[in-house]
Amino acid sequence: MTSRTLIRDLSHKMGETVTIAGWMHRHRSMSKFGFAIMRDRTGLVQVVLEASQLEQLKGLQVESVLKVTGVVVEKKSKDPHVKEVEIQCKLLEILSPVRDAVPVNINNADVEANLDTLLDNRVVTLRNPKQRAIFRVQAALVHGYREYMEGQGFTEIFFPILAGAASEGGAEFFTVNYFDREATLTQSAQLYKQITMAVYEGVYGLSYSFRAEKFATSRHLTEFNQFEFELGFVESMEDVMEHAEGALRYMLPYVERECADELKLRGVTLPPLGEKFPRISLANALQLYKEGTGIDETSEPDLSPAAEKWLSTVWAPKEHGSGFVFVTDYPASKRPFYVKLDPNNPNNTQSFDLVGFGCEIISGGLRVNNYEEQIQRIKDKGLNPADFEDYTMMHKYGIPPEGGFGMGLQRLTQNVLGLANIKEATIFPRDVQRLRP
Ligand code: AMO
């Protein structure tokens, strides 16, 4: 068993001799003694060093990896209400010396660098506690999602990344050389989640999605993850929206509980959930936007980023006490081949987006579950049914009325934390220019 004590546990060890290990976050030398601020995955602590130990650190830079054995004592604090501890070092061991100065200063409250510098140096900038917090929150979102879906009795599926045909249509897909033929990287787990739904009825999973997005925006990546969901035997789209709402109502309080320190460090408060997320049609949403702002986008087939922002940060909080709104009934021209058409209007689809935090975070809807209709929809989108034979086999051999949704992991993380660019919420982001680190 390791004898290492984690920094967060030091306050319970007053007067004891302990061993901690971590990175030298900061370092300050006086004439006869000095201080090292040590950092591990749980926090920071000050270590008081004697002259001989300062000698050991000579020539070493911050980020050197150290092991310190010493006594936990109370730290004199300016604020009498704050009880802090520090360690009086008895034995200093250098586990990994760093001799070159780190390229970006990472020991301030946050990394003060532009986005490219931050990402180019991700290997070290991620060590800054405020940066590190982002991916603790992201992990908690995933755990919350899984817990919600397991609670419903649904089955987690691990979807493939290499596939034959592009699931979302369009030109935004990558091809890879697969032995002597061409494969694509999945744009989503759409086809596979439907196929597995026709076995397990309720399926979910975290997929990898690849989109050959040529233009870098603050909300698009070329590689991202989706919280996927698909459910059979639904009676209406409401059955799907209920789980999209249910998942978020579970995940956000979960993150508030599990990541209270991280949210505090980043100064984040989450938007109100309200009693129930409102549901409005796209036409209605655009009309409300026009009435509320004077901006007329009523002839547009989609919401603009500005309209998404207004709806979820102005309209929904004011009218429904919620920072979230479902927008339904998107035109058929804007939705892929698998989305079910409105039986009363073939130009309309039974689909929805969930807009929250000022941005679209979920897309979903009902699916075509009739074989002939699905073949026709594939043709209508200019695609070749032969490329989708494995998929349409499911329609041929029985698929219940069904629907589902996809929610971007990085998109959600970005918005939960109020980050300006989705790349900040992506641990190793890829875009047109970036393929490293
Ligand atoms: P859609 O393409 O709308 O739907 O994607 C679903 C959700 O994934 C996120 N997202 C992205 N995140 C980062 N970079 C991108 N380029 C990007 N594109 C999308 C968004 C979006 O709401 N199969 C359907 C979902 C379904 O109907 O089940 C799909 O992929 O958060």
Side-chain angles (χ1 to χ4, degrees), residues 168 187-188 190 193 211 213 219-221 224 226 228-230 338 360-365 367 404-408 411 422:
E168 303 293 323
Q187 292 170 302
S188 72
Q190 185 65 35
K193 67 178 171 180
R211 308 267 170 103
E213 311 268 4
R219 58 206 279 189
H220 290 95
L221 298 158
F224 61 102
Q226 278 190 59
E228 303 273 7
F229 175 67
E230 202 70 16
Y338 52 78
E360 173 209 320
I361 51 173
I362 296 184
S363 204
R367 323 299 194 188
F405 65 77
M407 168 163 61
R411 183 79 68 83
I422 193 167

PDB file of all heavy atoms in Angstrom, residues 168 187-188 190 193 211 213 219-221 224 226 228-230 338 360-365 367 404-408 411 422, ligand 1:
ATOM      1  N   GLU A 168     -24.910  10.538 -41.586  1.00  0.00           N
ATOM      2  CA  GLU A 168     -25.697  11.776 -41.564  1.00  0.00           C
ATOM      3  C   GLU A 168     -25.857  12.373 -42.961  1.00  0.00           C
ATOM      4  O   GLU A 168     -26.428  13.448 -43.104  1.00  0.00           O
ATOM      5  CB  GLU A 168     -25.046  12.798 -40.629  1.00  0.00           C
ATOM      6  CG  GLU A 168     -24.847  12.333 -39.202  1.00  0.00           C
ATOM      7  CD  GLU A 168     -26.148  12.122 -38.424  1.00  0.00           C
ATOM      8  OE1 GLU A 168     -27.080  12.901 -38.627  1.00  0.00           O
ATOM      9  OE2 GLU A 168     -26.221  11.149 -37.659  1.00  0.00           O
ATOM     10  N   GLN A 187     -19.974   9.597 -38.594  1.00  0.00           N
ATOM     11  CA  GLN A 187     -20.385  10.981 -38.284  1.00  0.00           C
ATOM     12  C   GLN A 187     -21.180  11.004 -36.985  1.00  0.00           C
ATOM     13  O   GLN A 187     -21.346  12.061 -36.368  1.00  0.00           O
ATOM     14  CB  GLN A 187     -21.262  11.522 -39.407  1.00  0.00           C
ATOM     15  CG  GLN A 187     -20.512  11.746 -40.717  1.00  0.00           C
ATOM     16  CD  GLN A 187     -21.498  12.050 -41.820  1.00  0.00           C
ATOM     17  OE1 GLN A 187     -22.396  11.260 -42.095  1.00  0.00           O
ATOM     18  NE2 GLN A 187     -21.355  13.197 -42.447  1.00  0.00           N
ATOM     19  N   SER A 188     -21.726   9.857 -36.619  1.00  0.00           N
ATOM     20  CA  SER A 188     -22.450   9.674 -35.356  1.00  0.00           C
ATOM     21  C   SER A 188     -22.697   8.174 -35.270  1.00  0.00           C
ATOM     22  O   SER A 188     -22.389   7.437 -36.202  1.00  0.00           O
ATOM     23  CB  SER A 188     -23.794  10.409 -35.384  1.00  0.00           C
ATOM     24  OG  SER A 188     -24.690   9.720 -36.238  1.00  0.00           O
ATOM     25  N   GLN A 190     -25.599   6.991 -35.276  1.00  0.00           N
ATOM     26  CA  GLN A 190     -27.009   6.927 -35.657  1.00  0.00           C
ATOM     27  C   GLN A 190     -27.469   5.533 -36.112  1.00  0.00           C
ATOM     28  O   GLN A 190     -28.401   4.961 -35.558  1.00  0.00           O
ATOM     29  CB  GLN A 190     -27.296   7.952 -36.755  1.00  0.00           C
ATOM     30  CG  GLN A 190     -28.752   8.042 -37.133  1.00  0.00           C
ATOM     31  CD  GLN A 190     -29.625   8.552 -35.993  1.00  0.00           C
ATOM     32  OE1 GLN A 190     -29.199   9.395 -35.221  1.00  0.00           O
ATOM     33  NE2 GLN A 190     -30.812   8.014 -35.864  1.00  0.00           N
ATOM     34  N   LYS A 193     -27.029   2.854 -33.394  1.00  0.00           N
ATOM     35  CA  LYS A 193     -27.909   2.926 -32.212  1.00  0.00           C
ATOM     36  C   LYS A 193     -29.312   2.470 -32.592  1.00  0.00           C
ATOM     37  O   LYS A 193     -29.992   1.815 -31.796  1.00  0.00           O
ATOM     38  CB  LYS A 193     -27.875   4.296 -31.530  1.00  0.00           C
ATOM     39  CG  LYS A 193     -28.444   5.454 -32.285  1.00  0.00           C
ATOM     40  CD  LYS A 193     -28.368   6.722 -31.399  1.00  0.00           C
ATOM     41  CE  LYS A 193     -28.711   7.959 -32.167  1.00  0.00           C
ATOM     42  NZ  LYS A 193     -28.651   9.174 -31.352  1.00  0.00           N
ATOM     43  N   ARG A 211     -16.620  14.887 -38.242  1.00  0.00           N
ATOM     44  CA  ARG A 211     -17.253  15.707 -39.290  1.00  0.00           C
ATOM     45  C   ARG A 211     -16.156  16.532 -39.954  1.00  0.00           C
ATOM     46  O   ARG A 211     -15.403  17.232 -39.261  1.00  0.00           O
ATOM     47  CB  ARG A 211     -18.293  16.663 -38.695  1.00  0.00           C
ATOM     48  CG  ARG A 211     -19.323  15.996 -37.794  1.00  0.00           C
ATOM     49  CD  ARG A 211     -20.582  15.581 -38.529  1.00  0.00           C
ATOM     50  NE  ARG A 211     -21.422  14.752 -37.678  1.00  0.00           N
ATOM     51  CZ  ARG A 211     -22.525  15.162 -37.060  1.00  0.00           C
ATOM     52  NH1 ARG A 211     -22.936  16.399 -37.196  1.00  0.00           N
ATOM     53  NH2 ARG A 211     -23.230  14.328 -36.315  1.00  0.00           N
ATOM     54  N   GLU A 213     -15.617  19.359 -40.996  1.00  0.00           N
ATOM     55  CA  GLU A 213     -16.033  20.767 -40.957  1.00  0.00           C
ATOM     56  C   GLU A 213     -14.855  21.611 -41.443  1.00  0.00           C
ATOM     57  O   GLU A 213     -13.819  21.634 -40.794  1.00  0.00           O
ATOM     58  CB  GLU A 213     -16.395  21.202 -39.528  1.00  0.00           C
ATOM     59  CG  GLU A 213     -17.341  20.281 -38.788  1.00  0.00           C
ATOM     60  CD  GLU A 213     -18.803  20.676 -38.945  1.00  0.00           C
ATOM     61  OE1 GLU A 213     -19.074  21.625 -39.691  1.00  0.00           O
ATOM     62  OE2 GLU A 213     -19.650  20.012 -38.320  1.00  0.00           O
ATOM     63  N   ARG A 219     -18.048  26.583 -31.972  1.00  0.00           N
ATOM     64  CA  ARG A 219     -18.881  25.487 -31.464  1.00  0.00           C
ATOM     65  C   ARG A 219     -18.779  24.193 -32.265  1.00  0.00           C
ATOM     66  O   ARG A 219     -19.507  23.245 -31.990  1.00  0.00           O
ATOM     67  CB  ARG A 219     -20.346  25.951 -31.364  1.00  0.00           C
ATOM     68  CG  ARG A 219     -20.907  26.432 -32.684  1.00  0.00           C
ATOM     69  CD  ARG A 219     -22.033  27.418 -32.488  1.00  0.00           C
ATOM     70  NE  ARG A 219     -23.278  26.743 -32.204  1.00  0.00           N
ATOM     71  CZ  ARG A 219     -24.479  27.333 -32.151  1.00  0.00           C
ATOM     72  NH1 ARG A 219     -24.594  28.618 -32.341  1.00  0.00           N
ATOM     73  NH2 ARG A 219     -25.557  26.666 -31.897  1.00  0.00           N
ATOM     74  N   HIS A 220     -17.881  24.151 -33.259  1.00  0.00           N
ATOM     75  CA  HIS A 220     -17.727  22.941 -34.083  1.00  0.00           C
ATOM     76  C   HIS A 220     -16.314  22.375 -34.014  1.00  0.00           C
ATOM     77  O   HIS A 220     -15.344  23.111 -34.074  1.00  0.00           O
ATOM     78  CB  HIS A 220     -18.057  23.254 -35.545  1.00  0.00           C
ATOM     79  CG  HIS A 220     -19.503  23.522 -35.768  1.00  0.00           C
ATOM     80  ND1 HIS A 220     -20.024  24.791 -35.771  1.00  0.00           N
ATOM     81  CD2 HIS A 220     -20.536  22.673 -35.974  1.00  0.00           C
ATOM     82  CE1 HIS A 220     -21.339  24.721 -35.974  1.00  0.00           C
ATOM     83  NE2 HIS A 220     -21.681  23.453 -36.095  1.00  0.00           N
ATOM     84  N   LEU A 221     -16.254  21.064 -33.956  1.00  0.00           N
ATOM     85  CA  LEU A 221     -14.979  20.336 -33.973  1.00  0.00           C
ATOM     86  C   LEU A 221     -15.038  19.338 -35.125  1.00  0.00           C
ATOM     87  O   LEU A 221     -16.122  19.025 -35.612  1.00  0.00           O
ATOM     88  CB  LEU A 221     -14.823  19.544 -32.673  1.00  0.00           C
ATOM     89  CG  LEU A 221     -14.770  20.346 -31.377  1.00  0.00           C
ATOM     90  CD1 LEU A 221     -15.160  19.449 -30.209  1.00  0.00           C
ATOM     91  CD2 LEU A 221     -13.371  20.910 -31.164  1.00  0.00           C
ATOM     92  N   PHE A 224     -15.510  14.743 -32.183  1.00  0.00           N
ATOM     93  CA  PHE A 224     -16.170  15.010 -30.898  1.00  0.00           C
ATOM     94  C   PHE A 224     -16.899  13.755 -30.433  1.00  0.00           C
ATOM     95  O   PHE A 224     -16.883  12.735 -31.118  1.00  0.00           O
ATOM     96  CB  PHE A 224     -17.120  16.216 -31.004  1.00  0.00           C
ATOM     97  CG  PHE A 224     -18.252  16.054 -31.996  1.00  0.00           C
ATOM     98  CD1 PHE A 224     -19.539  15.749 -31.568  1.00  0.00           C
ATOM     99  CD2 PHE A 224     -18.040  16.217 -33.353  1.00  0.00           C
ATOM    100  CE1 PHE A 224     -20.593  15.606 -32.475  1.00  0.00           C
ATOM    101  CE2 PHE A 224     -19.089  16.068 -34.268  1.00  0.00           C
ATOM    102  CZ  PHE A 224     -20.356  15.760 -33.818  1.00  0.00           C
ATOM    103  N   GLN A 226     -20.551  12.111 -28.729  1.00  0.00           N
ATOM    104  CA  GLN A 226     -21.985  12.348 -28.498  1.00  0.00           C
ATOM    105  C   GLN A 226     -22.515  11.392 -27.441  1.00  0.00           C
ATOM    106  O   GLN A 226     -22.188  10.208 -27.450  1.00  0.00           O
ATOM    107  CB  GLN A 226     -22.789  12.115 -29.781  1.00  0.00           C
ATOM    108  CG  GLN A 226     -22.782  13.276 -30.734  1.00  0.00           C
ATOM    109  CD  GLN A 226     -23.791  13.078 -31.866  1.00  0.00           C
ATOM    110  OE1 GLN A 226     -24.974  12.932 -31.632  1.00  0.00           O
ATOM    111  NE2 GLN A 226     -23.314  13.073 -33.087  1.00  0.00           N
ATOM    112  N   GLU A 228     -25.295   9.351 -26.916  1.00  0.00           N
ATOM    113  CA  GLU A 228     -26.286   8.817 -27.853  1.00  0.00           C
ATOM    114  C   GLU A 228     -27.427   8.167 -27.072  1.00  0.00           C
ATOM    115  O   GLU A 228     -27.213   7.609 -25.990  1.00  0.00           O
ATOM    116  CB  GLU A 228     -25.650   7.753 -28.757  1.00  0.00           C
ATOM    117  CG  GLU A 228     -24.444   8.229 -29.545  1.00  0.00           C
ATOM    118  CD  GLU A 228     -24.805   8.870 -30.887  1.00  0.00           C
ATOM    119  OE1 GLU A 228     -26.006   9.059 -31.151  1.00  0.00           O
ATOM    120  OE2 GLU A 228     -23.867   9.157 -31.666  1.00  0.00           O
ATOM    121  N   PHE A 229     -28.616   8.211 -27.671  1.00  0.00           N
ATOM    122  CA  PHE A 229     -29.780   7.568 -27.043  1.00  0.00           C
ATOM    123  C   PHE A 229     -30.756   7.141 -28.121  1.00  0.00           C
ATOM    124  O   PHE A 229     -30.962   7.857 -29.097  1.00  0.00           O
ATOM    125  CB  PHE A 229     -30.468   8.545 -26.084  1.00  0.00           C
ATOM    126  CG  PHE A 229     -31.746   7.995 -25.503  1.00  0.00           C
ATOM    127  CD1 PHE A 229     -31.709   6.917 -24.630  1.00  0.00           C
ATOM    128  CD2 PHE A 229     -32.980   8.546 -25.831  1.00  0.00           C
ATOM    129  CE1 PHE A 229     -32.892   6.396 -24.100  1.00  0.00           C
ATOM    130  CE2 PHE A 229     -34.160   8.031 -25.299  1.00  0.00           C
ATOM    131  CZ  PHE A 229     -34.111   6.959 -24.436  1.00  0.00           C
ATOM    132  N   GLU A 230     -31.369   5.980 -27.946  1.00  0.00           N
ATOM    133  CA  GLU A 230     -32.395   5.519 -28.885  1.00  0.00           C
ATOM    134  C   GLU A 230     -33.385   4.648 -28.120  1.00  0.00           C
ATOM    135  O   GLU A 230     -32.988   3.814 -27.296  1.00  0.00           O
ATOM    136  CB  GLU A 230     -31.720   4.716 -30.012  1.00  0.00           C
ATOM    137  CG  GLU A 230     -32.519   4.612 -31.286  1.00  0.00           C
ATOM    138  CD  GLU A 230     -32.629   5.936 -32.077  1.00  0.00           C
ATOM    139  OE1 GLU A 230     -31.859   6.868 -31.814  1.00  0.00           O
ATOM    140  OE2 GLU A 230     -33.514   6.013 -32.944  1.00  0.00           O
ATOM    141  N   TYR A 338     -33.058   9.666 -42.086  1.00  0.00           N
ATOM    142  CA  TYR A 338     -33.669   8.731 -41.139  1.00  0.00           C
ATOM    143  C   TYR A 338     -34.764   9.374 -40.286  1.00  0.00           C
ATOM    144  O   TYR A 338     -35.434   8.720 -39.501  1.00  0.00           O
ATOM    145  CB  TYR A 338     -32.595   8.109 -40.223  1.00  0.00           C
ATOM    146  CG  TYR A 338     -31.716   9.143 -39.542  1.00  0.00           C
ATOM    147  CD1 TYR A 338     -32.161   9.850 -38.431  1.00  0.00           C
ATOM    148  CD2 TYR A 338     -30.434   9.421 -40.021  1.00  0.00           C
ATOM    149  CE1 TYR A 338     -31.381  10.803 -37.815  1.00  0.00           C
ATOM    150  CE2 TYR A 338     -29.636  10.381 -39.419  1.00  0.00           C
ATOM    151  CZ  TYR A 338     -30.113  11.070 -38.317  1.00  0.00           C
ATOM    152  OH  TYR A 338     -29.333  12.029 -37.725  1.00  0.00           O
ATOM    153  N   GLU A 360     -27.568  25.342 -29.192  1.00  0.00           N
ATOM    154  CA  GLU A 360     -28.126  23.994 -29.414  1.00  0.00           C
ATOM    155  C   GLU A 360     -27.196  22.966 -28.781  1.00  0.00           C
ATOM    156  O   GLU A 360     -26.006  22.949 -29.075  1.00  0.00           O
ATOM    157  CB  GLU A 360     -28.226  23.711 -30.921  1.00  0.00           C
ATOM    158  CG  GLU A 360     -28.627  22.271 -31.228  1.00  0.00           C
ATOM    159  CD  GLU A 360     -28.084  21.749 -32.566  1.00  0.00           C
ATOM    160  OE1 GLU A 360     -28.081  22.501 -33.543  1.00  0.00           O
ATOM    161  OE2 GLU A 360     -27.656  20.579 -32.600  1.00  0.00           O
ATOM    162  N   ILE A 361     -27.736  22.136 -27.931  1.00  0.00           N
ATOM    163  CA  ILE A 361     -26.882  21.097 -27.344  1.00  0.00           C
ATOM    164  C   ILE A 361     -27.352  19.686 -27.691  1.00  0.00           C
ATOM    165  O   ILE A 361     -26.576  18.743 -27.633  1.00  0.00           O
ATOM    166  CB  ILE A 361     -26.717  21.246 -25.813  1.00  0.00           C
ATOM    167  CG1 ILE A 361     -28.067  21.386 -25.118  1.00  0.00           C
ATOM    168  CG2 ILE A 361     -25.820  22.420 -25.471  1.00  0.00           C
ATOM    169  CD1 ILE A 361     -27.955  21.372 -23.607  1.00  0.00           C
ATOM    170  N   ILE A 362     -28.637  19.551 -28.071  1.00  0.00           N
ATOM    171  CA  ILE A 362     -29.168  18.221 -28.401  1.00  0.00           C
ATOM    172  C   ILE A 362     -29.946  18.309 -29.704  1.00  0.00           C
ATOM    173  O   ILE A 362     -30.605  19.313 -29.982  1.00  0.00           O
ATOM    174  CB  ILE A 362     -30.145  17.724 -27.297  1.00  0.00           C
ATOM    175  CG1 ILE A 362     -29.411  17.522 -25.967  1.00  0.00           C
ATOM    176  CG2 ILE A 362     -30.838  16.417 -27.726  1.00  0.00           C
ATOM    177  CD1 ILE A 362     -30.291  16.950 -24.859  1.00  0.00           C
ATOM    178  N   SER A 363     -29.879  17.213 -30.472  1.00  0.00           N
ATOM    179  CA  SER A 363     -30.685  17.085 -31.679  1.00  0.00           C
ATOM    180  C   SER A 363     -31.324  15.703 -31.628  1.00  0.00           C
ATOM    181  O   SER A 363     -30.662  14.741 -31.236  1.00  0.00           O
ATOM    182  CB  SER A 363     -29.726  17.177 -32.862  1.00  0.00           C
ATOM    183  OG  SER A 363     -30.405  17.592 -33.981  1.00  0.00           O
ATOM    184  N   GLY A 364     -32.587  15.620 -32.011  1.00  0.00           N
ATOM    185  CA  GLY A 364     -33.224  14.298 -31.958  1.00  0.00           C
ATOM    186  C   GLY A 364     -34.546  14.286 -32.682  1.00  0.00           C
ATOM    187  O   GLY A 364     -34.917  15.249 -33.358  1.00  0.00           O
ATOM    188  N   GLY A 365     -35.257  13.165 -32.524  1.00  0.00           N
ATOM    189  CA  GLY A 365     -36.553  13.073 -33.170  1.00  0.00           C
ATOM    190  C   GLY A 365     -37.014  11.644 -33.316  1.00  0.00           C
ATOM    191  O   GLY A 365     -36.379  10.712 -32.801  1.00  0.00           O
ATOM    192  N   ARG A 367     -37.931   8.373 -35.873  1.00  0.00           N
ATOM    193  CA  ARG A 367     -37.246   7.817 -37.058  1.00  0.00           C
ATOM    194  C   ARG A 367     -38.247   7.122 -37.981  1.00  0.00           C
ATOM    195  O   ARG A 367     -39.285   6.618 -37.539  1.00  0.00           O
ATOM    196  CB  ARG A 367     -36.189   6.791 -36.630  1.00  0.00           C
ATOM    197  CG  ARG A 367     -35.440   7.106 -35.366  1.00  0.00           C
ATOM    198  CD  ARG A 367     -34.647   8.399 -35.433  1.00  0.00           C
ATOM    199  NE  ARG A 367     -33.701   8.466 -34.310  1.00  0.00           N
ATOM    200  CZ  ARG A 367     -32.994   9.529 -34.012  1.00  0.00           C
ATOM    201  NH1 ARG A 367     -33.119  10.662 -34.679  1.00  0.00           N
ATOM    202  NH2 ARG A 367     -32.142   9.514 -32.996  1.00  0.00           N
ATOM    203  N   GLY A 404     -34.887   8.973 -30.885  1.00  0.00           N
ATOM    204  CA  GLY A 404     -33.684   9.110 -30.061  1.00  0.00           C
ATOM    205  C   GLY A 404     -33.098  10.493 -30.176  1.00  0.00           C
ATOM    206  O   GLY A 404     -33.666  11.381 -30.834  1.00  0.00           O
ATOM    207  N   PHE A 405     -31.942  10.654 -29.542  1.00  0.00           N
ATOM    208  CA  PHE A 405     -31.266  11.950 -29.625  1.00  0.00           C
ATOM    209  C   PHE A 405     -29.760  11.796 -29.497  1.00  0.00           C
ATOM    210  O   PHE A 405     -29.268  10.736 -29.092  1.00  0.00           O
ATOM    211  CB  PHE A 405     -31.780  12.922 -28.544  1.00  0.00           C
ATOM    212  CG  PHE A 405     -31.468  12.510 -27.112  1.00  0.00           C
ATOM    213  CD1 PHE A 405     -30.200  12.679 -26.572  1.00  0.00           C
ATOM    214  CD2 PHE A 405     -32.464  11.968 -26.304  1.00  0.00           C
ATOM    215  CE1 PHE A 405     -29.915  12.313 -25.256  1.00  0.00           C
ATOM    216  CE2 PHE A 405     -32.186  11.598 -24.981  1.00  0.00           C
ATOM    217  CZ  PHE A 405     -30.912  11.775 -24.467  1.00  0.00           C
ATOM    218  N   GLY A 406     -29.042  12.844 -29.875  1.00  0.00           N
ATOM    219  CA  GLY A 406     -27.598  12.921 -29.692  1.00  0.00           C
ATOM    220  C   GLY A 406     -27.269  14.264 -29.058  1.00  0.00           C
ATOM    221  O   GLY A 406     -27.830  15.295 -29.439  1.00  0.00           O
ATOM    222  N   MET A 407     -26.377  14.226 -28.059  1.00  0.00           N
ATOM    223  CA  MET A 407     -25.989  15.461 -27.360  1.00  0.00           C
ATOM    224  C   MET A 407     -24.470  15.538 -27.357  1.00  0.00           C
ATOM    225  O   MET A 407     -23.793  14.576 -26.967  1.00  0.00           O
ATOM    226  CB  MET A 407     -26.536  15.398 -25.924  1.00  0.00           C
ATOM    227  CG  MET A 407     -25.983  16.447 -24.981  1.00  0.00           C
ATOM    228  SD  MET A 407     -27.011  16.641 -23.490  1.00  0.00           S
ATOM    229  CE  MET A 407     -26.947  15.019 -22.734  1.00  0.00           C
ATOM    230  N   GLY A 408     -23.944  16.643 -27.841  1.00  0.00           N
ATOM    231  CA  GLY A 408     -22.485  16.779 -27.938  1.00  0.00           C
ATOM    232  C   GLY A 408     -21.844  16.916 -26.566  1.00  0.00           C
ATOM    233  O   GLY A 408     -22.229  17.783 -25.785  1.00  0.00           O
ATOM    234  N   ARG A 411     -19.729  20.143 -26.577  1.00  0.00           N
ATOM    235  CA  ARG A 411     -20.664  21.280 -26.674  1.00  0.00           C
ATOM    236  C   ARG A 411     -21.326  21.518 -25.306  1.00  0.00           C
ATOM    237  O   ARG A 411     -21.473  22.652 -24.850  1.00  0.00           O
ATOM    238  CB  ARG A 411     -21.704  20.968 -27.745  1.00  0.00           C
ATOM    239  CG  ARG A 411     -22.728  22.035 -28.061  1.00  0.00           C
ATOM    240  CD  ARG A 411     -22.237  23.159 -28.950  1.00  0.00           C
ATOM    241  NE  ARG A 411     -21.938  22.796 -30.328  1.00  0.00           N
ATOM    242  CZ  ARG A 411     -22.826  22.694 -31.316  1.00  0.00           C
ATOM    243  NH1 ARG A 411     -24.088  22.941 -31.076  1.00  0.00           N
ATOM    244  NH2 ARG A 411     -22.434  22.387 -32.542  1.00  0.00           N
ATOM    245  N   ILE A 422     -15.342  26.001 -28.020  1.00  0.00           N
ATOM    246  CA  ILE A 422     -15.524  24.572 -27.730  1.00  0.00           C
ATOM    247  C   ILE A 422     -14.182  23.846 -27.564  1.00  0.00           C
ATOM    248  O   ILE A 422     -14.091  22.843 -26.868  1.00  0.00           O
ATOM    249  CB  ILE A 422     -16.401  23.898 -28.822  1.00  0.00           C
ATOM    250  CG1 ILE A 422     -16.868  22.518 -28.374  1.00  0.00           C
ATOM    251  CG2 ILE A 422     -15.676  23.839 -30.159  1.00  0.00           C
ATOM    252  CD1 ILE A 422     -17.954  21.904 -29.219  1.00  0.00           C
TER     253      ILE A 422
HETATM  254  P1  AMO B   1     -26.405  16.402 -34.934  1.00  0.00           P
HETATM  255  O1  AMO B   1     -25.602  16.361 -36.170  1.00  0.00           O
HETATM  256  O2  AMO B   1     -27.318  17.581 -34.763  1.00  0.00           O
HETATM  257  O3  AMO B   1     -27.329  15.112 -34.807  1.00  0.00           O
HETATM  258  O4  AMO B   1     -25.459  16.337 -33.675  1.00  0.00           O
HETATM  259  C1  AMO B   1     -25.978  16.150 -32.371  1.00  0.00           C
HETATM  260  C2  AMO B   1     -25.264  17.039 -31.365  1.00  0.00           C
HETATM  261  O5  AMO B   1     -23.851  16.864 -31.452  1.00  0.00           O
HETATM  262  C3  AMO B   1     -23.180  18.096 -31.268  1.00  0.00           C
HETATM  263  N1  AMO B   1     -22.429  18.419 -32.495  1.00  0.00           N
HETATM  264  C4  AMO B   1     -21.155  18.859 -32.515  1.00  0.00           C
HETATM  265  N2  AMO B   1     -20.285  19.125 -31.536  1.00  0.00           N
HETATM  266  C5  AMO B   1     -19.056  19.558 -31.887  1.00  0.00           C
HETATM  267  N3  AMO B   1     -18.640  19.724 -33.154  1.00  0.00           N
HETATM  268  C6  AMO B   1     -19.475  19.454 -34.187  1.00  0.00           C
HETATM  269  N4  AMO B   1     -19.030  19.589 -35.441  1.00  0.00           N
HETATM  270  C7  AMO B   1     -20.803  19.009 -33.890  1.00  0.00           C
HETATM  271  N5  AMO B   1     -21.866  18.656 -34.647  1.00  0.00           N
HETATM  272  C8  AMO B   1     -22.837  18.294 -33.784  1.00  0.00           C
HETATM  273  C9  AMO B   1     -24.247  19.119 -30.945  1.00  0.00           C
HETATM  274  C10 AMO B   1     -25.469  18.526 -31.609  1.00  0.00           C
HETATM  275  O6  AMO B   1     -26.663  18.961 -30.995  1.00  0.00           O
HETATM  276  N6  AMO B   1     -27.590  11.510 -35.204  1.00  0.00           N
HETATM  277  C11 AMO B   1     -28.064  12.839 -34.840  1.00  0.00           C
HETATM  278  C12 AMO B   1     -28.669  12.880 -33.460  1.00  0.00           C
HETATM  279  C13 AMO B   1     -29.963  12.101 -33.327  1.00  0.00           C
HETATM  280  O7  AMO B   1     -30.928  12.457 -34.030  1.00  0.00           O
HETATM  281  O8  AMO B   1     -30.004  11.149 -32.540  1.00  0.00           O
HETATM  282  C14 AMO B   1     -26.917  13.822 -34.975  1.00  0.00           C
HETATM  283  O9  AMO B   1     -25.751  13.490 -35.130  1.00  0.00           O
HETATM  284  O10 AMO B   1     -24.387  19.150 -29.529  1.00  0.00           O
END
